[in-house]
Structures are given as structure tokens and as C-alpha cells.
Amino acid sequence: MLNQFRGLLGHTLIYGLGNYGIKVFGFLLIPLYTRFLAPADYGVMALVSMYTQVMFIVMNLGQSTSLFRFYYEHDTEEGRERVVAASIWIVILFAVPLAAIPLLFNRPLAQLILGDEALWFLMCIGTATVLCKVLLRMPFAIMRAADQSKRYAGWSLARNAVSMVLAVVLVAGLHQGATGVVMSQFLAELVFCFLLTGMTFRMLRAGFHWKDIKEQLLFGLPFVPVGAASFTLDLTNRWFLKHYYSTSDVGIFSLGYRFAEILTFAVMAFQLSWPQFLFKNRREPDAPQLYADMTAYYLAVMLFLWLGLAVFAPELLRIMATPEFYPAAALIPIISFALVFDGMGFMFNIGALFSKKTILRTISVTVAAAVNVGLNFVLIPRYGMMGAAWATFIGFLVQMSTTLYLSLHIYHVPYRYGRLLGMLAAALVIYGASVLVDTHSVITSIAIKVPLVLLFPIALVSVGLFDPKDLAAGLTMLEKRVPKSAGVLRYLRPLLLRGHHTREP
């Protein structure tokens, strides 16, 4: 079990670093952005990002999932090339024409989204960026399908690094403000389109097969409303804040969300490696138990990351941002916990993936989005940014719960709910204790909070997370990797393994 989780985690880290390194780079750029961009400028940048994300959902046509679903049905290179070729034809025949629509209506879009028709050019740049992203999805998907995780990560990191350098030049050097941030993303995507799409279009040698195109398109299309509902759940709060308050509020809220999205690095990384893990182990006799254990380990990792982010949020803001952005600290624990629920919903979605009933995912996300929109109407006018944060939290909780309920009716996984709830309770108690730490010194606060966060792994042992064999193997591996820990482990080993002689059924 430990070796399987290590393998899954290894691919997760590589994929996550590659594909979502941009979030890490974006996090590192916060000191630059908060010093060269006013909250209103940061709000404009966030609203353009909101637009590009919803456009990618529409133009991608659900093909990120569809390609993998059909790719693994073939054992020959010829069959797999036909799958990739069909996905390319979908981009050519449908995605490219869709890009023309927002280009024709750029001024009304700018007025609707940004509240200023004069910013029409940002809508055009954003649309062009999305088209490049859709084209780039293909070569990166081929690398993932071939398990070329290191190559995938290398190219992704290079793309993110170019985007970061361009952002520094355009924002700090040329003082282009929000326009510089949007333009840096477009230029980076364009450069790598020229570098990588050649390997994609070579797959067109497999020919034009309408049957394959139709089958993959029909499988992927249900993911479009899923993506639209996810967008509603995740991003419409910015529009509500702009409508009821100001772009400055959008900027502060978006900065808090940016900090919380550090957790998305892990969430999305697991989402990139989890489908391959599911399908490869599907025929194993103990597959349901394997999935249950992997989900528990995943939640443990996510809660530990959440604690680190939520506990140190005030100190991070004081170190990285200017005082006008400090109110974002109160939002980070709520939003990041919501993202934990988002990740758990994806882990629970096994039944829909195995049964090809993608409509189930559509139902769960749509229900959650409807709840979220209703809460946005109720909470944001009264509570502002905090109302937006709580609406997001409840929306993702509803999504996770609905996904679990629907999925278990198709494919039963023996989750140990007591263990999962025990981990949640331990994390919340530790976070509650950290809130009581109130000092004027950043260094003193960090020094007090670090031991609190480190209590969490001990709590994981107490709730019986680890199989005793895995726990013993992990301690042995740690002792080999870090010989200096031998003395401490010799004392801790009997304490950690005490009471773990048998595995809970």
C-alpha cells in the first residue's frame, strides 16, 4: 500500500509542479503585484482571469477527460493516434470557430465583465490566450498519456517561467499594470504553441474518422455544463463583489483566493494523476479498499497543507503584501478549506468515471452551483467578502456530498468515515488553537504556531490512519534516509505502533 501511494504521490508531485507551477510562480509574484498594482488593478486582472477560465471550459469541449477515457481503450499506437487525431479535429472544427464569437463582441463583454468598454482589448487578449491554451492542451495530454511526467513537468515549468519573466518586465519594468499581466500570459502561451504543437498535428496522419470524432465529442460535451457550473461555483463571487461593492473589493478577495489556491496546486496535481491510477488498478481484487485507503491518505495530505496555509495566513500577508491587502487574511482559511472539499469531491467521483455516466458529475456540480449563486445573492450584499467566502465554502461542501452520494450508488468504496471525520476534527482543533496566538511579532507568531501544526501527524496516528505495516515501513524508510533520526525513532517507534497490531476492517 505504501509503495502504491508513493508512486501515486510521485506522479502527483511531478504533474503538479509542471502543470500548476504557474500558481506557485503567481504566488511568488504577489509582492510585486501588490506594490505595482492597486487593489482595483488587481481586481481587473482577476476579472479577466475569470473570463478566460470560462472561455476555456467552453472551447475545450470536455476533451481533457474524453481523450484519456478513449486513449486507454487501445493497446496499439495506431489506435491511440486515432484518438488523438479525433481530439485535434474537434479543436479545429469547433473550438476555433467558437473563439470568433467573443472577438466580435469584445466591447459589450468588456462592459459586462469589467464595467468599462474602453478595456475591450483585454477581452481580445484573453480570448487569444484561451485559444493558445486549447491548442497546447493536446501535446501536454499526449505526454501525460504516455506517462512522460518528467518531460511534461519540464515543458510546463519552462512555460510558467517565461510567463513569470514577462510579467516582471511588463509590470515592474514597463509599468503596464493589469494589461502587462494579461499580456505576459498570452505571449508565453503563444511561444509554446509554436514550440510544441508540431508534435500534435503529426497525429493527423491517422486520418479523419467522423465516428471517433462524434464518440469523443459526445462523451466530452457533458463536461461543458460541469465546467460552467464549476465556474459559477468558483468564480462568480467576483462579479457579485464588483456589482455590490467595487473592483478594489474584488482585488482583495482575489488576493485571498490566490493564497488559498496554493492548495489547488495539490488538488489539481492529484486530479492529473488520479484517473490513471484508478483505471490501472480497476481489475485488482482489492481495488475498492485500495481506493478508500488512497482517499484517506489524500485527505491527510490536504489537511496538513491546509493547516500550514490557514495557520500562517496572517503572517504570510504581512510578509508578502502591503497593508491595504491585509483584510484578505481572514478569507484564506475559509476558501482553502472549501478547496479541500473540492478535491475530495473529485476523489469520490469513481462511480461516474467507471460507468461513463458523466451526467452524475453534471448533477452534483450544478446543484452546488445553484446553492452557491443563491448564497451569493443573500450573503454578499450583507457581508461582502466574508459572505463570498462562506458561499464558496458551502457550495463546495454540497458538491462533495452530492458526488459521494451519487457515486456510491454505482461503485461501492468502503470509506472509513470515522477515520476521515477524526482527521477533520483534529485539523480544526489545531487551527482553533492557532487563532488564539496573537502577537505583534511575525517571528514570534511563527515560532509558536509551528509546533501546533506539527501536532497533526501525531493526530493522524491516533485516529488510525496508517496501516501498521505501512507505518512501520515508513519509519524504516525515514531512518534509512535520515540516519540522524535513528535515536529519536527508536524512542518513538514503540509509541507510534502501540495499539496498531491489527487493521480495522
Side-chain angles (χ1 to χ4, degrees):
M1 183 69 69
L2 179 63
N3 289 333
Q4 289 168 307
F5 182 69
R6 286 174 59 195
L8 175 62
L9 186 60
H11 281 296
T12 293
L13 291 174
I14 295 173
Y15 282 133
L17 185 62
N19 202 64
Y20 292 93
I22 187 63
K23 294 188 182 296
V24 177
F25 286 136
F27 183 78
L28 296 176
L29 286 172
I30 285 175
L32 174 77
Y33 289 160
T34 56
R35 283 159 180 80
F36 284 89
L37 301 177
D41 295 320
Y42 203 94
V44 168
M45 182 183 75
L47 290 168
V48 174
S49 176
M50 178 189 76
Y51 163 75
T52 59
Q53 289 184 57
V54 72
M55 282 303 300
F56 181 80
I57 291 167
V58 173
M59 291 169 59
N60 191 41
L61 296 167
Q63 292 308 297
S64 295
T65 303
S66 181
L67 185 142
F68 285 100
R69 179 65 187 84
F70 292 94
Y71 187 91
Y72 286 108
E73 287 189 349
H74 298 274
D75 296 322
T76 64
E77 287 301 316
E78 293 79 8
R80 291 179 172 182
E81 280 194 5
R82 281 185 56 164
V83 172
V84 176
S87 194
I88 298 169
W89 280 116
I90 289 171
V91 172
I92 295 171
L93 296 175
F94 300 99
V96 173
L98 281 172
I101 299 174
L103 291 175
L104 291 173
F105 297 96
N106 54 74
R107 290 183 182 275
L109 273 174
Q111 183 63 44
L112 174 67
I113 297 172
L114 305 178
D116 188 351
E117 188 178 287
L119 297 175
W120 61 270
F121 58 93
L122 292 179
M123 296 292 98
C124 294
I125 298 172
T127 303
T129 303
V130 173
L131 184 57
C132 290
K133 283 181 180 293
V134 171
L135 292 172
L136 270 176
R137 174 185 60 80
M138 296 302 304
F140 282 108
I142 294 170
M143 294 179 207
R144 283 176 58 198
D147 278 336
Q148 297 174 342
S149 56
K150 292 182 180 178
R151 185 182 178 205
Y152 175 97
W155 278 108
S156 297
L157 283 173
R159 178 175 61 167
N160 297 334
V162 169
S163 178
M164 179 179 180
V165 171
L166 289 170
V168 172
V169 171
L170 292 173
V171 175
L174 301 179
H175 302 283
Q176 292 299 304
T179 302
V181 179
V182 176
M183 181 61 75
S184 68
Q185 294 168 356
F186 165 66
L187 293 175
E189 298 295 324
L190 183 63
V191 167
F192 283 86
C193 263
F194 282 115
L195 292 175
L196 290 176
T197 51
M199 68 178 290
T200 300
F201 286 99
R202 282 198 297 270
M203 297 293 181
L204 290 175
R205 64 194 173 194
F208 183 93
H209 302 278
W210 175 248
K211 179 182 177 182
D212 294 342
I213 295 170
K214 181 181 178 182
E215 189 176 22
Q216 290 175 221
L217 183 64
L218 290 177
F219 181 87
L221 280 176
F223 287 99
V224 176
V226 169
S230 296
F231 158 80
T232 303
L233 178 59
D234 199 24
L235 295 169
T236 51
N237 43 37
R238 275 77 152 180
W239 188 86
F240 277 91
L241 282 171
K242 173 187 162 293
H243 179 74
Y244 286 109
Y245 291 90
S246 67
T247 336
S248 295
D249 288 276
V250 175
I252 294 170
F253 181 85
S254 298
L255 183 70
Y257 216 103
R258 172 57 62 89
F259 273 87
E261 278 184 331
I262 290 299
L263 211 62
T264 306
F265 170 82
V267 171
M268 297 299 184
F270 266 99
Q271 290 184 7
L272 289 172
S273 56
W274 184 239
Q276 295 94 304
F277 183 86
L278 283 178
F279 288 110
K280 285 181 180 179
N281 291 281
R282 184 179 181 182
R283 294 182 176 87
E284 294 295 324
D286 62 341
Q289 184 61 56
L290 176 65
Y291 300 150
D293 289 338
M294 291 301 105
T295 301
Y297 285 175
Y298 167 81
L299 179 60
V301 171
M302 293 304 301
L303 288 175
F304 188 63
L305 294 176
W306 172 78
L307 270 176
L309 185 61
V311 167
F312 297 109
E315 289 75 24
L316 285 171
L317 262 296
R318 288 163 68 182
I319 292 170
M320 299 189 68
T322 53
E324 55 192 344
F325 287 96
Y326 287 176
L331 307 170
I332 296 172
I334 304 170
I335 298 172
S336 55
F337 208 96
L339 295 177
V340 173
F341 290 148
D342 182 33
M344 288 299 291
F346 189 85
M347 299 293 284
F348 287 148
N349 193 41
I350 299 174
L353 288 175
F354 283 170
S355 66
K356 298 185 182 180
K357 294 181 179 179
T358 52
I359 188 64
L360 298 179
R361 179 68 174 165
T362 305
I363 292 171
S364 62
V365 180
T366 303
V367 169
V371 171
N372 177 258
V373 170
L375 291 173
N376 282 335
F377 274 111
V378 174
L379 298 179
I380 291 179
R382 180 173 296 183
Y383 302 108
M385 292 182 287
M386 288 300 293
W390 281 111
T392 301
F393 177 90
I394 297 171
F396 279 118
L397 176 60
V398 169
Q399 174 186 279
M400 180 192 70
S401 304
T402 308
T403 299
L404 175 62
Y405 176 80
L406 294 174
S407 185
L408 286 177
H409 277 68
I410 297 174
Y411 185 90
H412 180 71
V413 178
Y415 300 112
R416 292 163 58 187
Y417 299 104
R419 181 171 63 170
L420 300 180
L421 291 173
M423 288 189 284
L424 285 169
L428 291 173
V429 168
I430 293 171
Y431 172 71
S434 75
V435 173
L436 302 177
V437 178
D438 185 17
T439 70
H440 295 291
S441 169
V442 171
I443 296 176
T444 303
S445 294
I446 292 174
I448 296 173
K449 289 179 177 181
V450 166
L452 283 174
V453 174
L454 294 179
L455 287 174
F456 186 66
I458 299 174
L460 295 181
V461 176
S462 68
V463 299
L465 170 65
F466 303 104
D467 182 280
K469 293 180 180 178
D470 289 345
L471 184 58
L475 293 174
T476 301
M477 182 175 62
L478 177 61
E479 187 173 350
K480 289 180 179 179
R481 296 285 179 87
V482 188
K484 292 182 179 180
S485 66
V488 176
L489 292 177
R490 193 174 299 114
Y491 171 76
L492 289 178
R493 189 186 299 269
L495 297 175
L496 294 175
L497 294 178
R498 184 179 299 164
H500 291 276
H501 301 299
T502 60
R503 179 170 179 163
E504 181 183 333

